[in-house]
Amino acid sequence: MSEDDIKPIDMDMAPEPEKKDDVIDDDLPEIDHDKVMYGASVSRIKKGEEVDLSEMDPTLVHALIGMGWDLKNFENLPVDLDSSVFLLDKDDRTRENEDFIFYNNHEDRIGSVIHDGDSRTGAGEGDDETVNIQLTKLTFDVVKIVFVISIHDEEMLGHSFNDVKNVYFRFVNTDSTHELFRFELEGEELNMGEAQAMIVAEMERVGPKWMFRALAEPVEGGLSEIATNYGIIVAEIVQA
């Protein structure tokens, strides 16, 4: 596909992705979110840590990525954090628009990654946003999966990551409902100055294995900046 064939993405008003006749997206198991919320014991990883997912759980096929957060001050307007996923090739670039999975595009072209929808407030217990990944369905030219959280409309509402607490990212084997680990973000990791987005973590395909890295890298310019860096043409640069 040439650059001339790529249509710009309007990150505020993007249409639902077009369904392809040859796409079968019923391979993902039916998920009981109550069963995958919290295990009896929780393994925590820290910024900079790397995990061999294949070694940690050789049975891993279907993964659930859960993200949650709480407001520091409930008297303020709710902070809308968004979770996004980028599927990248060997050059750290998306292959097509559908490789950018976010609140206005809930799945990739073949349904290997499915976003369960946007939470605007972070209210309530448990995961505020979830993403489901079928590892065996990912094509081999997908070498890396990048996970991002960003603040929506931060410029208009004046929000920053300092307005939230108890931010976490957790990784679950959906089939066994076992939570493999969680990455909790607090303190200095949320004190990001002008940054409106964070690359939370990445998964990289290394031969037959998948390696997970906890990053917590702040990015000024928000979600649109990250999307542009990965080869997505954004129709209108917005702070997200």
Side-chain angles (χ1 to χ4, degrees):
M1 180 181 293
S2 69
E3 289 189 5
D4 293 337
D5 297 325
I6 300 175
K7 296 181 180 179
I9 285 184
D10 186 328
M11 290 173 56
D12 284 334
M13 300 296 293
E16 289 294 322
E18 180 183 352
K19 282 287 186 180
K20 309 300 178 185
D21 293 337
D22 59 346
V23 171
I24 300 175
D25 56 7
D26 58 356
D27 293 339
L28 286 169
E30 191 69 26
I31 298 168
D32 185 341
H33 288 271
D34 290 336
K35 290 183 179 180
V36 297
M37 281 181 59
Y38 297 104
S41 60
V42 176
S43 174
R44 291 174 173 81
I45 64 173
K46 297 180 180 180
K47 179 178 179 179
E49 192 169 344
E50 183 175 86
V51 176
D52 184 335
L53 293 171
S54 305
E55 181 178 304
M56 175 175 280
D57 189 346
T59 70
L60 182 64
V61 175
H62 305 111
L64 178 140
I65 310 300
M67 188 192 79
W69 73 93
D70 294 318
L71 284 176
K72 282 186 179 179
N73 188 344
F74 287 95
E75 295 179 358
N76 295 336
L77 290 173
V79 180
D80 182 8
L81 292 189
D82 296 315
S83 59
S84 305
V85 179
F86 292 88
L87 305 182
L88 306 181
D89 62 16
K90 60 182 178 59
D91 298 316
D92 274 357
R93 305 282 284 185
T94 52
R95 303 160 302 167
E96 55 189 358
N97 284 344
E98 288 85 356
D99 285 345
F100 176 22
I101 299 100
F102 69 122
Y103 51 81
N104 272 338
N105 177 49
H106 288 174
E107 61 185 87
D108 69 314
R109 183 179 290 270
I110 62 173
S112 58
V113 178
I114 299 176
H115 194 304
D116 285 331
D118 184 25
S119 170
R120 299 294 180 87
T121 65
E125 296 184 358
D127 299 330
D128 294 310
E129 295 190 8
T130 55
V131 173
N132 299 281
I133 302 175
Q134 186 173 350
L135 294 177
T136 54
K137 198 171 184 178
L138 288 163
T139 56
F140 283 100
D141 54 343
V142 175
V143 176
K144 189 178 292 183
I145 306 172
V146 175
F147 303 96
V148 173
I149 56 175
S150 57
I151 299 174
H152 193 76
D153 284 342
E154 55 80 31
E155 188 173 69
M156 182 176 70
L157 299 175
H159 287 151
S160 75
F161 281 97
N162 286 322
D163 295 318
V164 293
K165 63 180 179 178
N166 302 328
V167 180
Y168 70 83
F169 175 102
R170 70 194 193 98
F171 199 102
V172 177
N173 182 328
T174 307
D175 295 318
S176 67
T177 72
H178 174 62
E179 180 176 316
L180 275 62
F181 56 84
R182 67 174 54 202
F183 180 24
E184 296 177 339
L185 302 162
E186 286 288 351
E188 288 300 316
E189 290 166 346
L190 296 178
N191 185 15
M192 302 195 304
E194 299 297 320
Q196 301 96 35
M198 175 193 295
I199 298 176
V200 181
E202 66 181 20
M203 288 171 56
E204 184 174 7
R205 193 195 297 267
V206 181
K209 297 182 176 182
W210 282 99
M211 305 298 295
F212 180 94
R213 301 183 185 96
L215 300 175
E217 295 178 355
V219 179
E220 294 187 17
L223 182 57
S224 60
E225 177 73 13
I226 297 174
T228 301
N229 290 342
Y230 289 143
I232 297 294
I233 300 174
V234 179
E236 180 179 352
I237 300 297
V238 295
Q239 298 297 317

